[in-house]
Amino acid sequence: METVREALEELLVAAQRQNCLTVGVYESAQLMNVDPDSVVLCVLATDEEDENDVALQIHFTLIQAFCCDIDINIVRVSGMRRLAQVLGEPLSTDSNANEPRDLHCILVTNPQAEHLKLNEVGSYCKESRCRNQWVPSIALQEC
């Protein structure tokens, strides 16, 4: 599990460097509506406090259904603080009153490098589906 977690983190950093990340529930829904074939991985991120957010859970259900329908790998991630660290995102509003981006849904689109990491995460998703776990979970741990 640790290697999959590390592979996911490395994949997200590489995809961000290549401008192959779409961040945000709304932004992700827009991209999947316009160009679903470009999406290779969907990351749905929550923490315990998000579990009672009915609107977010409805969005997740719809996104998951769409991804399953068109065969996009999906992974659920816990550890929003670590996810923000990995992506270099602020955890709260900064001094310029800029809100942090919505990290609850992240799409990876056709990264040109780090295919090994994409394959590793994709294999984990496929193995999970073979065990009837359609949306596997990965817990990110803070460093």
Side-chain angles (χ1 to χ4, degrees), residues 40-143:
V40 295
L41 178 67
C42 176
V43 178
L44 301 175
T46 60
D47 277 332
E48 284 184 29
E49 60 266 12
D50 298 318
E51 294 301 321
N52 294 326
D53 184 337
V54 175
L56 182 61
Q57 296 307 319
I58 290 170
H59 286 297
F60 278 7
T61 300
L62 294 171
I63 289 168
Q64 285 173 198
F66 188 83
C67 289
C68 286
D69 192 42
I70 60 173
D71 204 28
I72 295 172
N73 286 321
I74 314 163
V75 65
R76 295 248 349 205
V77 171
S78 61
M80 295 287 290
R81 291 180 63 84
R82 176 63 185 155
L83 186 58
Q85 287 175 340
V86 167
L87 297 176
E89 293 288 326
L91 297 173
S92 59
T93 304
D94 64 17
S95 59
N96 295 330
N98 293 324
E99 290 288 322
R101 293 194 298 174
D102 173 15
L103 299 178
H104 288 105
C105 184
I106 300 172
L107 300 180
V108 177
T109 56
N110 296 327
Q112 300 304 309
E114 300 296 329
H115 283 290
L116 180 63
K117 302 303 177 189
L118 178 59
N119 289 339
E120 194 171 331
V121 174
S123 293
Y124 173 71
C125 292
K126 184 177 179 179
E127 290 167 12
S128 295
R129 283 192 301 273
C130 289
R131 294 187 312 266
N132 285 327
Q133 183 183 8
W134 289 95
V135 183
S137 297
I138 298 174
L140 300 180
Q141 299 173 351
E142 292 187 42
C143 294

